[in-house]
Amino acid sequence: MATLLTTEYLPIGDPSCDLAREQLARAGRRIRDGGLVVFPTETVYGLGGDATRAESARRIYAAKGRPSDNPLIIHIADPQDAEPYAVTCDTYDRLARAFMPGPLTVILPRKPTIPTETTGGLETVAVRCPSHPIARALIRAAGTPIAAPSANLSGKPSPTCARHVMDDMDGRVDIIIDGGDCEIGLESTIVAISGEDNVTLLRPGAITYDALCMVIGKVQIADAVTEQLKEGERVLSPGMKYRHYAPDSPVVLLDGAPDAVLQYLMHEQQRCRCAILCYDEELSALQTSGEPLLFPVGARDDLVTQAHTLFTLLRHADRALPDIIYAHLPPMDGLGLALYNRMIRAAAHTIKRV
Ligand code: AMP
Ligand code: MG
């Protein structure tokens, strides 16, 4: 357990106002001095430290309770700022022009300015340029790239609002910047570049497989995106081998025709105390006289809203201590692939066909 700190809570609305600028300058100095600052991004909240300092990486791992071979993403304010820290290439430039600033992380060879403590011992480094104005202002204020994993305790869902961060990180970090709800709600898309135009999708996110293909042509998808790893299998992205968010209650994903799934859920409500991450369209049918544990994720076709609500609702459903949590198996195309990737981890790959 990390030493208990007094965590300063800093709500910031408009990062360009004088007060916010002064607060961000102070938070940036804290990072440069080796401190930890949680900040909002367009994906999820990040737990930031100086990416060039081994000691900051060690503090991040300790605060999260995360294994130190799970590498950190370094955050830069502008795509061209990658140069001193990573070996860039034409493919990086093309991806950067198309998607940065934004929710894309690119794995590149590491330069010595980034210590192996930050990269989990790897010779590569994950680089991302977030679009959130507070994140960019903080990175500029720090004057150094910010290494930041998601600001949750290891094993909890990524935080998408400051409330979740406070639940997990109060007393473990120096400053928490509250910039409101994260727009996207799922972590960034991660790709690895190996050789010219050889791009592999390691983790799907809001930058979809189709969008990447439009820019790069052919993109491979790592097996671990959709499949369960076999015992001892080598992974391209170390984070994929860890138990990701798995609530205390078992999660089961339902796959089948909409009517069949709804009938099954109504039947299960009679049988046990189940929490249901349901579509808005199912709400009225699932309202029962008792105390139904319903967590509407959005309309069936509205994957953007489902991505935005997923982690919050998993936290809420878990807190209700149900016998079981049911959710729909997401489609595997478009933004659905990112939802699918997170959900099969939360469900430890338990899928029931009905
Ligand atoms: P998080 O910061 O919680 O979103 O997790 C960061 C993810 O990025 C982890 O799952 C890592 O596996 C992945 N990652 C970071 N650096 C690298 C790298 N050099 N090579 C492959 N994957 C990486
Ligand atoms: Mg994470």
Side-chain angles (χ1 to χ4, degrees), residues 64 150 152 158 244:
K64 264 185 82 87
S150 50
N152 52 286
S158 296
H244 215 256

Side-chain angles (χ1 to χ4, degrees), residues 89-277:
C89 57
D90 280 355
T91 309
Y92 172 80
D93 292 341
R94 285 168 63 197
L95 288 168
R97 270 196 302 278
F99 303 116
M100 292 184 192
L104 179 70
T105 297
V106 181
I107 312 288
L108 296 166
R110 167 185 81 89
K111 285 186 179 167
T113 41
I114 299 296
T116 50
E117 281 78 1
T118 299
T119 66
L122 298 175
E123 287 309 318
T124 51
V125 59
V127 178
R128 162 160 140 74
C129 173
S131 62
H132 197 297
I134 292 178
R136 296 181 81 191
L138 178 68
I139 300 163
R140 289 198 179 106
T144 181
I146 298 182
S150 50
N152 52 286
L153 285 176
S154 197
K156 292 277 193 97
S158 296
T160 56
C161 66
R163 177 74 259 159
H164 302 165
V165 175
M166 299 286 279
D167 289 346
D168 285 9
M169 287 297 154
D170 195 27
R172 291 171 169 263
V173 298
D174 297 292
I175 298 175
I176 294 175
I177 299 176
D178 182 352
D181 279 4
C182 298
E183 188 190 334
I184 295 170
L186 296 180
E187 307 88 343
S188 61
T189 301
I190 303 181
V191 297
I193 302 176
S194 52
E196 210 44 42
D197 276 3
N198 198 345
V199 172
T200 305
L201 177 63
L202 303 185
R203 179 174 76 184
I207 305 293
T208 62
Y209 170 77
D210 292 334
L212 291 166
C213 289
M214 299 252 280
V215 174
I216 298 298
K218 197 168 167 324
V219 174
Q220 298 165 58
I221 302 182
D223 288 347
V225 168
T226 54
E227 305 296 329
Q228 196 160 12
L229 288 172
K230 294 173 198 70
E231 193 66 31
E233 188 175 347
R234 187 180 156 272
V235 280
L236 295 170
S237 182
M240 288 192 201
K241 75 177 179 229
Y242 292 106
R243 172 176 161 271
H244 215 256
Y245 181 54
D248 292 332
S249 316
V251 179
V252 174
L253 302 179
L254 300 175
D255 184 25
D259 275 355
V261 172
L262 186 57
Q263 289 300 321
Y264 181 83
L265 287 172
M266 290 164 74
H267 181 261
E268 282 298 280
Q269 280 185 310
Q270 307 299 319
R271 193 188 64 81
C272 65
R273 193 167 174 279
C274 54
I276 304 174
L277 270 60

Side-chain angles (χ1 to χ4, degrees), residues 10 22-31 37 138 175 177:
L10 274 186
E22 184 269 315
Q23 289 171 322
L24 285 164
R26 192 153 53 79
R29 272 198 305 277
R30 206 55 181 265
I31 287 196
V37 176
L138 178 68
I175 298 175
I177 299 176

Side-chain angles (χ1 to χ4, degrees), residues 301-319:
D301 293 331
D302 185 357
L303 297 177
V304 171
T305 300
Q306 292 171 32
H308 184 74
T309 56
L310 177 66
F311 286 145
T312 299
L313 296 183
L314 277 176
R315 277 180 186 251
H316 290 178
D318 206 15
R319 216 172 289 148

